[in-house]
Amino acid sequence: MEAELVPHDGEEHDQGIGARLNWLRAAVLGANDGIVSTAGIVIGVAAATTQRSAIVTAGVAGLAAGAMSMAAGEYVSVSTQRDTEKALLEKEIRELREMPEEELAELAEIYEGKGLTPELAHEVAVQLTRHDALGAHAEAELGIDPNDLTNPWHAAWASMVAFTVGALLPLVAILLPPEGARVVVTALAVVVALAITGAVSARLGGADQRRAVLRNVAGGVLAMAVTYGIGALVGTQL
């Protein structure tokens, strides 16, 4: 007697995975931007002056401005994507209502192009259309799940909160150590944090973690080096 075959573990197939990946992506990118941009600000100011108040003011201002900017940017970007998805779905609904036979033939042609025989492709198209016409056509033709559209508010809040959390790390790191160790301690903390966000982002996307970490850390180190050099130059001139 043959053993019953069951789906293997380790993969998610539920309808909510797209929405979760959307806000996870926004959260990881927000944290990464918060770390890099705030680190650049506070290190640049620290290179120009040793006054703690100036560093705090610049860091907090950068944190607030960056968090709001990230939230607004994510909201606008994802809202545009959602509007486009809705427009495409409305067009598909209209076509299904006005030309159902043509849409059925189009769906069958798509599955035939994926390797099914014409007879099986037609039967699959009929069965899927009968079960959920809009869902079947939207997924096959547009790559959209009508029940899992992107949510701009989720992305905006995730990005803003993540940016704030990420920005707090270099802000705290620059203030706690003694004056002579501020920049070194902050730079080391930022490198560790960027390695973590790089690894997380690669894991979410299924990419090579080592390459993502190196790319992330290199970008952050370059940003800190540039802002430190500018701060030192400006501080010397002033």
Side-chain angles (χ1 to χ4, degrees):
M1 181 176 180
E2 294 184 0
E4 182 182 358
L5 295 178
V6 296
H8 64 81
D9 297 329
E11 288 189 63
E12 295 188 70
H13 300 282
D14 61 291
Q15 292 182 338
I17 187 172
R20 289 203 301 275
L21 287 177
N22 178 51
W23 69 260
L24 281 172
R25 174 195 59 81
V28 172
L29 292 178
N32 196 73
D33 285 350
I35 294 168
V36 174
S37 61
T38 306
I41 291 173
V42 296
I43 285 180
V45 176
T49 178
T50 59
Q51 294 183 6
R52 186 182 296 268
S53 61
I55 298 174
V56 172
T57 300
V60 172
L63 184 156
M68 295 303 296
S69 176
M70 287 292 295
E74 282 290 338
Y75 181 82
V76 171
S77 174
V78 177
S79 292
T80 301
Q81 178 182 344
R82 186 183 179 91
D83 290 343
T84 302
E85 290 173 343
K86 285 184 174 181
L88 290 171
L89 288 174
E90 289 173 1
K91 179 175 180 290
E92 195 63 36
I93 292 172
R94 186 171 61 254
E95 291 177 346
L96 285 170
R97 183 176 60 249
E98 297 175 353
M99 51 183 75
E101 295 301 324
E102 290 85 347
E103 284 296 297
L104 180 63
E106 183 179 8
L107 185 60
E109 185 178 338
I110 290 174
Y111 286 110
E112 186 178 345
K114 291 182 177 181
L116 300 183
T117 63
E119 295 78 12
L120 181 56
H122 177 76
E123 180 61 25
V124 169
V126 170
Q127 294 281 354
L128 291 176
T129 300
R130 186 178 301 159
H131 173 69
D132 180 7
L134 178 60
H137 286 261
E139 181 180 2
E141 297 179 33
L142 308 174
I144 298 175
D145 182 352
N147 300 313
D148 188 27
L149 298 182
T150 52
N151 190 314
W153 286 109
H154 288 173
W157 281 108
S159 182
M160 183 175 70
V161 172
F163 184 97
T164 301
V165 173
L168 285 173
L169 185 141
L171 185 57
V172 172
I174 200 78
L175 297 177
L176 291 182
E179 181 180 312
R182 286 175 180 171
V183 173
V184 174
V185 170
T186 302
L188 290 176
V190 167
V191 167
V192 172
L194 290 178
I196 294 174
T197 57
V200 171
S201 63
R203 185 174 181 83
L204 288 175
D208 180 66
Q209 292 190 23
R210 183 172 58 181
R211 182 178 301 175
V213 168
L214 289 175
R215 183 170 55 233
N216 217 30
V217 170
V221 170
L222 178 61
M224 289 187 290
V226 170
T227 55
Y228 181 84
I230 294 174
L233 179 62
V234 172
T236 300
Q237 296 298 322
L238 294 178

